[in-house]
Amino acid sequence: MDKRFKLNINNKRLSEVIKLTIIALLLTLEIIICAQYVTLFIANGGIMKLVFVMVCCVLLAVFETVDSFVINNFAAKMVFYGLDSIILLFLCLLTGNSYLSALYCIVLTQFYISVDDFKKNVILFCVSCGLFVVSFIGGWFMVNQNVSAYQSMVEIAGGIFFGIFIIAIHCLVTNFLLKFYSNNVQLRYALKVADESRAQLQEVYEQLSETAVFEERNRIAKDIHDNAGHSMTTVIMQTEAAKLLIDNNPEEAKNRIISANIQAKNALEQMRESVHLLAGRAQTKTLREEIEEIIAQTIDGTELKIRCDLQDVSVGAEEYRFILNSVKECIANGVRHGKATAFYIEMKNNLSEVGLLISDNGEGTDGKIEEGFGLKSIREKVEALGGNCSFSSEAGEGFEVVINLPMNNKKQECSDD
């Protein structure tokens, strides 16, 4: 909306009511003027003078009506104001200043409404004061020709002062009311726009919230499918292999059963975590506590040895889940593929990143490391999170996984174990 509020454009109905009211006041005042001089002019043989007064009143009313409802251009309005001033001068010369200040106030009101510029209104007020003075003095001498000079000066000065005072008060009050009204309209409009914007933002926020919920649920479902599903498949494969080996190779069958046990526990824990997320429960354990619990569950009922050096670190929810899944995957891979019996897990706060190291004493591998489903998932996820990882192994020397994740400027709370 334009900063300069124009009453006759932005609220046409109110503007028309005000203009009609002004025309009605003008007609009422002209009727009073004509009625006041009917008897006087007829008695003194001044019928022609009365006709001139009535013609001036009609012309003034016509000009004001056209100016109010037809003319919009400022220059054209000034032309009509000049015509109004000439008619007011004639009325003043014919009637002797009767209601001159009131007529000027009525004529100026229409201009104040149409021109939304206080400087222009002040200039118009000053011009009107000059024209009022000229008209008043001319009308005084036309009617009061036999009055002494001193009395004329006193009455003229008093009349001019009173008339200018009335016109000045009218100018201030009218412009103040118009400004107050325009500010009120702008404020109401701004509040309406703000309410509409707030409603739109609320709608967008709700849509985004719903989208975020759906995306999170899809992500959790994918985690269950990719991680828990993979773990359960591995459990089935390990137990099937153990059944085949239990007679010919009991030690290998035992390792297979241990690996399947770890995978089953991991799958159960992942499903529990996913159910908690779907239920909207907040994570209550720290990352360090969760890893310690994974270690405790893994070594429970098995002969595995796991040492750890863990620091407390604060990471995002996605990084949190990734680190836990990586620990589970690396332990399961070490037992299943490397026949590892011992592990070392280290988690450190390295200034701007979290460092995670998982190594085992398994058989290792000689030559190029073939990345299966588990290792490939770890690499892809860590790269998606803006970090990096490396896998290293030598025959008979076990397997080592190093993961570095950026802290993303999150607040960290670290303490040595």
Side-chain angles (χ1 to χ4, degrees), residues 241-295:
K243 287 195 301 182
L244 297 175
L245 295 171
I246 195 167
D247 294 327
N248 299 327
N249 193 346
E251 187 66 25
E252 177 64 17
K254 179 181 178 181
N255 289 336
R256 298 278 183 163
I257 293 173
I258 292 174
S259 177
N261 180 265
I262 295 172
Q263 288 285 2
K265 289 180 178 179
N266 290 343
L268 180 60
E269 184 62 28
Q270 287 174 345
M271 293 180 70
R272 284 175 177 171
E273 180 184 348
S274 298
V275 170
H276 290 168
L277 289 174
L278 285 172
R281 298 179 187 175
Q283 185 67 47
T284 57
K285 294 181 181 179
T286 65
L287 184 58
R288 174 182 175 179
E289 291 173 340
E290 286 285 3
I291 295 177
E292 289 175 343
E293 185 171 332
I294 291 172
I295 294 173

Side-chain angles (χ1 to χ4, degrees), residues 138-194:
W140 173 266
F141 284 112
M142 287 292 294
V143 177
N144 303 283
Q145 298 179 355
N146 299 321
V147 181
S148 63
Y150 175 77
Q151 184 179 357
S152 297
M153 290 179 60
V154 172
E155 293 188 7
I156 288 174
I160 290 174
F161 174 79
F162 179 77
I164 292 178
F165 177 77
I166 294 298
I167 297 174
I169 293 298
H170 167 266
C171 176
L172 292 174
V173 171
T174 303
N175 280 278
F176 171 78
L177 291 176
L178 291 174
K179 189 65 177 177
F180 176 80
Y181 177 77
S182 67
N183 288 340
N184 179 264
V185 170
Q186 290 183 59
L187 178 60
R188 289 169 58 188
Y189 178 80
L191 290 174
K192 180 181 178 182
V193 172

Side-chain angles (χ1 to χ4, degrees), residues 358-377:
I358 306 170
S359 63
D360 61 55
N361 66 344
E363 297 177 351
T365 181
D366 188 13
K368 184 179 179 181
I369 298 175
E370 296 291 338
E371 294 184 7
F373 176 84
L375 295 181
K376 183 179 180 181
S377 297

Side-chain angles (χ1 to χ4, degrees), residues 336-356:
R336 184 170 65 252
H337 300 297
K339 299 180 176 55
T341 59
F343 293 84
Y344 174 73
I345 302 174
E346 178 183 275
M347 183 172 66
K348 298 290 185 181
N349 168 35
N350 301 325
L351 297 179
S352 61
E353 62 182 14
V354 175
L356 179 67

Side-chain angles (χ1 to χ4, degrees), residues 219-231 233 274 373:
R219 185 196 61 76
I220 294 171
K222 186 176 184 301
D223 281 350
I224 294 174
H225 178 271
D226 292 345
N227 297 318
H230 171 69
S231 297
T233 301
S274 298
F373 176 84

